Amino acid sequence: MAERDNLPAQQRSTQTEVDDFLRRVATLPRATGGPRGRLMFAMDATASREPTWDRACQIQGEMFQATSALGGLDIQLVYYRGFRECQASPWVGNAQDLLRRMTAVSCMAGQTQIARVLGHCIKQTRDRKVNALVFVGDCMEEDVDQLAHQAGQLGLLGVPVFIFHERGDLIAKRAFQTIARLSGGAYCPFDGSSAQQLRDLLSAVAVYAAGGRAALEHYSRGRGDAVRLLTSQLGNGQGGRGGQSHAS
């Protein structure tokens, strides 16, 4: 406790939020007797995301650390940037390791590579079940028909795609909503300046991957409109609990 008292006021506030969240997830109904949940976390690291990248990394790292209280969530970080660079980390169960990998990434100009992310997720879940895919991005520059086909494949495999859309580009919005719908997942726009909203949304998805739909519905009670919207969109599939490489 003395160590926390020495923290700056802003860090103490963040730690209090994490502690509160830990207490909440400790009461959640959780899936038992099954394997650890697996959550693939994909990020657009092209130049347009640079203004909000550091803040997003901090939020995501904090909340994934908090969800470790559910006892069983492995995460793989996938990101793309530059000229056809699409990287996937090993599956990690340690939030500090995930945060270290995320903060080591810098943004680089390039086109979107969402098809490679979806294709990688399909291959991974055919090898071993992936419970959910999270994607955070702001634009889409690819063939939407191909993305829709891949999203449908993920839907058949029971892997919902949760898309968090920054800024609200209309072309990207339509494509992202299609991917979410066909995979049985959910689409949520967010304002890059709204840190608490993004914390809540990412926490909700992590809860779903670790504990299934019942845990998500329990978590969403009394939460904000964005979390309730995400929960209401979620399909009825079975996506819940039940060294560095190139992504394909």
Side-chain angles (χ1 to χ4, degrees):
M1 184 64 69
E3 181 179 353
R4 182 179 303 175
D5 291 341
N6 292 328
L7 292 173
Q10 184 176 7
Q11 292 186 29
R12 286 201 303 271
S13 176
T14 297
Q15 184 61 52
T16 299
E17 292 174 357
V18 171
D19 288 344
D20 289 344
F21 185 71
L22 284 169
R23 284 191 287 271
R24 288 197 299 273
V25 297
T27 67
L28 291 173
R30 68 185 72 181
T32 58
R36 288 171 63 88
R38 297 214 304 170
L39 173 66
M40 186 175 292
F41 192 88
M43 302 180 72
D44 178 336
T46 56
S48 61
R49 300 273 340 280
E50 188 169 14
T52 57
W53 180 267
D54 289 342
R55 174 179 289 183
C57 286
Q58 179 183 359
I59 292 170
Q60 289 143 195
E62 289 170 358
M63 290 300 99
F64 284 133
Q65 183 173 7
T67 56
S68 65
L70 281 170
L73 182 63
D74 292 328
I75 302 168
Q76 183 181 64
L77 173 65
V78 180
Y79 67 89
Y80 59 78
R81 64 181 183 175
F83 180 69
R84 290 196 57 78
E85 179 185 357
C86 188
Q87 302 284 347
S89 77
W91 288 93
V92 298
N94 181 290
Q96 287 79 13
D97 189 13
L98 177 71
L99 183 57
R100 177 179 59 80
R101 292 176 184 277
M102 291 171 68
T103 54
V105 177
S106 58
C107 295
M108 187 181 300
Q111 293 188 323
T112 64
Q113 300 178 57
I114 302 167
R116 294 183 73 186
V117 171
L118 299 181
H120 175 67
C121 189
I122 290 168
K123 289 183 178 181
Q124 287 284 297
T125 203
R126 283 176 174 162
D127 178 58
R128 182 185 160 197
K129 177 68 174 176
V130 175
N131 299 93
L133 167 62
V134 168
F135 174 75
V136 181
D138 62 349
C139 61
M140 191 286 297
E141 301 161 316
E142 301 168 62
D143 180 355
V144 69
D145 290 330
Q146 179 185 357
L147 299 180
H149 177 70
Q150 291 174 305
Q153 289 181 286
L154 287 170
L156 291 174
L157 292 168
V159 184
V161 182
F162 295 87
I163 297 186
F164 299 102
H165 185 195
E166 186 176 12
R167 291 192 178 90
D169 175 80
L170 290 179
I171 293 176
K173 177 180 179 179
R174 287 193 289 269
F176 291 166
Q177 287 176 327
T178 297
I179 292 170
R181 176 176 53 82
L182 292 176
S183 68
Y187 164 90
C188 286
F190 75 94
D191 182 347
S193 65
S194 179
Q196 184 58 52
Q197 182 189 36
L198 187 57
R199 282 190 182 98
D200 286 346
L201 290 169
L202 291 173
S203 297
V205 177
V207 164
Y208 172 79
R213 189 183 181 100
L216 174 59
E217 291 178 345
H218 187 280
Y219 173 74
S220 67
R221 294 169 191 162
R223 309 301 299 175
D225 291 341
V227 173
R228 290 195 295 273
L229 175 63
L230 180 148
T231 304
S232 69
Q233 290 183 65
L234 184 63
N236 293 318
Q238 301 301 314
R241 277 287 297 277
Q244 187 109 316
S245 63
H246 291 282
S248 301

